[in-house]
Amino acid sequence: QPLCLFRMVSASVTPAFVLLHFSLTSHLAVSTFECSFRLRKNLARLVIVIIVGYYTVFGFASFNHESLTGNTQLCPFYNSNGETFIIVNMNLMLAFDFVNCISALFLLRHNRRGLAKERNAFKLNRTFRRVQTLKAMEQLIPIYALHSISHLVHF
């Protein structure tokens, strides 16, 4: 029973955090490379569409063959009909979260190098953006790393 509850929670909650981390990392990448406001706005809309679309497909594929009688042989939400889809989803989210964590580390490194080179420059707007992005990344990297490590519990 406790293992069943852990499977249900991990299978349903994991994509939300992974897609949230993806949206934060993509926003910080766009901010790092100083893209236009229009591109940032369009990226935010695209990420919202991806998240809503993914959850719609995920919910339909997971609950499409649910009996809704309360009598399932396996765990609720982890029955034999949706088992393959849920396992593929967890593997996809694991890979996606590791890629997200690595790309966030590369962005952090890029911002530190850029800030070291631009310290003596007089473009304060660019330096301020780099410092702001760097401070945000330093706070998010431990969360990304812990979330990526927690995926290993699934396996």
Side-chain angles (χ1 to χ4, degrees):
Q1 188 93 11
L3 182 61
C4 183
L5 183 63
F6 176 72
R7 284 188 203 167
M8 286 173 25
V9 170
S10 64
S12 61
V13 172
T14 298
F17 288 112
V18 173
L19 294 174
L20 177 68
H21 292 169
F22 167 72
S23 66
L24 290 172
T25 304
S26 62
H27 176 70
L28 291 172
V30 169
S31 176
T32 296
F33 297 114
E34 298 180 9
C35 296
S36 67
F37 176 73
R38 183 181 221 176
L39 179 68
R40 285 183 276 162
K41 193 164 74 170
N42 289 336
L43 180 67
R45 289 178 180 162
L46 178 67
V47 168
I48 290 171
V49 168
I50 288 171
I51 290 172
V52 169
Y54 184 81
Y55 269 108
T56 303
V57 170
F58 180 72
F60 179 76
S62 298
F63 294 113
N64 188 23
H65 300 292
E66 189 72 38
S67 65
L68 300 178
T69 60
N71 300 323
T72 56
Q73 296 174 352
L74 300 172
C75 299
F77 186 72
Y78 200 80
N79 58 29
S80 58
N81 294 324
E83 180 180 7
T84 304
F85 184 75
I86 291 170
I87 290 173
V88 168
N89 174 55
M90 287 184 4
N91 290 335
L92 178 69
M93 290 296 126
L94 172 71
F96 200 53
D97 206 22
F98 280 132
V99 168
N100 189 26
C101 188
I102 290 170
S103 63
L105 287 171
F106 281 130
L107 277 174
L108 182 71
R109 183 176 174 201
H110 175 75
N111 278 326
R112 282 186 180 159
R113 284 187 177 179
L115 191 61
K117 289 178 184 177
E118 295 171 356
R119 269 294 182 198
N120 297 327
F122 292 103
K123 296 179 181 178
L124 295 179
N125 188 20
R126 179 181 290 174
T127 305
F128 174 73
R129 280 192 181 165
R130 284 206 191 271
V131 169
Q132 191 176 23
T133 304
L134 191 63
K135 294 298 180 188
M137 292 298 288
E138 286 174 349
Q139 293 174 358
L140 291 174
I141 292 290
I143 297 169
Y144 289 171
L146 286 173
H147 194 258
S148 297
I149 291 169
S150 70
H151 270 36
L152 296 176
V153 173
H154 295 294
F155 300 101

